[in-house]
Amino acid sequence: MKILSTPDNLQILFEDNHLIVINKRVGDISQGDQTGDLPLSEVVKLYIKKKYNKPGAVFLGVVHRLDRPTSGIIVFAKTSKALSRLNESFKKRETQKTYWAIVKNIPEKTTDTLDHYLVRNPKNNTSKAHIKEVPESKKASLTYKLIQKLDRYGVLEIDLHTGRHHQIRAQLSLIGSSIKGDLKYGFDRSNPDGGIHLHARKLQFEHPVTKEIIKIIANPPKEVLWNLVK
């Protein structure tokens, strides 16, 4: 059974007066969309309101997003100053983001840097990766390495160099290594919880106010395959 985040079960990885970092569950949406489902941003607001007994509206800024079927680290700003500084930091790629992905078809090379050109299709909310530059494409770059072999799958650790829409999913699909459960990008069947085996594992960034380097690590979901990853 799929469990979504609530104000009472939030997986909080870091919190101070300026920001709050959550380990997002599969199925949580980062912010409101056309589904009308309660987004994680509103869940965190409810948590803050309750914990600190805040009257009136709670400020919470969405710094970045994770796709609904993925899990892992997501950062929210608790003040407008923190939000503007974090937005700038993420925009300039001053952050270090590392993901884990479980794939059935392990790439031929155990480590490689993938440079592709992505074209976003807003109609079906996908991005298509191309080997060469095409009209309206944006360059996408990542480095992966194989960190573990499971019985029928491989675990890739991925460092992002750019932050494009569905980048990891589209790029791995192009090299024939679709992420487990990712029907949108070529995997043959869905996961029971509707999620995919892509997890935002590590994040390193400069604190927007104190300027100290914050390093966050998030455990993957408690699930049969993820439980095997060391």
Side-chain angles (χ1 to χ4, degrees), residues 15 17 32 47-48 69-70 72 74 120 136 144-145 148 163 172 175 180 213 220 223 230:
E15 183 184 5
N17 292 334
Y47 156 81
I48 292 169
T70 67
I74 186 163
R120 185 171 181 174
E136 297 183 27
Y144 74 79
K145 64 179 176 184
Q148 194 175 337
L172 290 183
I175 66 166
K180 185 179 181 301
I213 299 301
E223 177 274 341
K230 297 177 175 61

Side-chain angles (χ1 to χ4, degrees), residues 18-30:
H18 310 283
L19 50 103
I20 181 167
V21 184
I22 305 294
N23 189 358
K24 179 182 113 50
R25 291 177 167 90
V26 168
D28 289 339
I29 45 173
S30 302

Side-chain angles (χ1 to χ4, degrees), residues 3 8 27 34 36-37 44-45 48 57 72 76 93 100 126 129 146 151 170 184 190 206-207 211:
I3 297 172
D8 299 315
Q34 69 279 2
D37 294 342
V44 176
K45 279 185 187 179
I48 292 169
F76 296 101
R93 311 298 304 163
W100 279 356
T126 60
L146 179 69
D151 190 18
K184 232 176 198 181
S190 60
E206 185 184 85
H207 192 285
K211 303 301 179 190

Side-chain angles (χ1 to χ4, degrees), residues 39-215:
L40 188 56
S41 55
E42 292 300 317
V43 173
V44 176
K45 279 185 187 179
L46 290 170
Y47 156 81
I48 292 169
K49 191 174 180 67
K50 185 176 174 184
K51 180 177 179 181
Y52 301 102
N53 200 19
K54 280 185 174 277
V58 172
F59 177 89
L60 193 77
V62 179
V63 178
H64 64 121
R65 299 167 187 80
L66 286 180
D67 301 338
R68 187 167 195 167
T70 67
S71 57
I73 300 167
I74 186 163
V75 181
F76 296 101
K78 292 166 82 173
T79 65
S80 55
K81 181 163 77 171
L83 177 62
S84 61
R85 289 180 181 176
L86 284 169
N87 279 343
E88 192 66 19
S89 178
F90 273 70
K91 191 175 168 185
K92 288 181 177 174
R93 311 298 304 163
E94 293 169 348
T95 56
Q96 291 177 25
K97 294 179 184 175
T98 302
Y99 288 75
W100 279 356
I102 296 180
V103 299
K104 192 172 187 177
N105 299 324
I106 299 171
E108 286 180 20
K109 296 180 180 177
T110 54
T111 182
D112 198 8
T113 295
L114 304 180
D115 291 317
H116 296 127
Y117 294 87
L118 262 58
V119 177
R120 185 171 181 174
N121 182 346
K123 286 183 181 174
N124 61 7
N125 192 34
T126 60
S127 287
K128 185 173 175 58
H130 299 264
I131 294 170
K132 294 180 179 176
E133 195 168 1
V134 298
E136 297 183 27
S137 63
K138 292 181 177 177
K139 188 174 181 183
S141 180
L142 62 79
T143 298
Y144 74 79
K145 64 179 176 184
L146 179 69
I147 57 168
Q148 194 175 337
K149 282 187 177 179
L150 305 176
D151 190 18
R152 290 183 297 140
Y153 299 93
V155 185
L156 304 180
E157 184 168 270
I158 297 148
D159 288 313
L160 281 182
H161 309 308
T162 55
R164 307 298 182 200
H165 175 259
H166 289 187
Q167 176 181 335
I168 298 172
R169 299 166 68 180
Q171 287 193 270
L172 290 183
S173 175
L174 186 65
I175 66 166
S177 298
S178 296
I179 296 166
K180 185 179 181 301
D182 201 355
L183 288 177
K184 232 176 198 181
Y185 289 93
F187 201 80
D188 55 3
R189 64 184 186 278
S190 60
N191 289 338
D193 63 1
I196 63 175
H197 279 73
L198 178 63
H199 178 70
R201 168 68 172 169
K202 299 177 198 166
L203 180 66
Q204 183 172 309
F205 61 96
E206 185 184 85
H207 192 285
V209 178
T210 67
K211 303 301 179 190
E212 67 179 306
I213 299 301
I214 306 291
K215 296 178 184 179

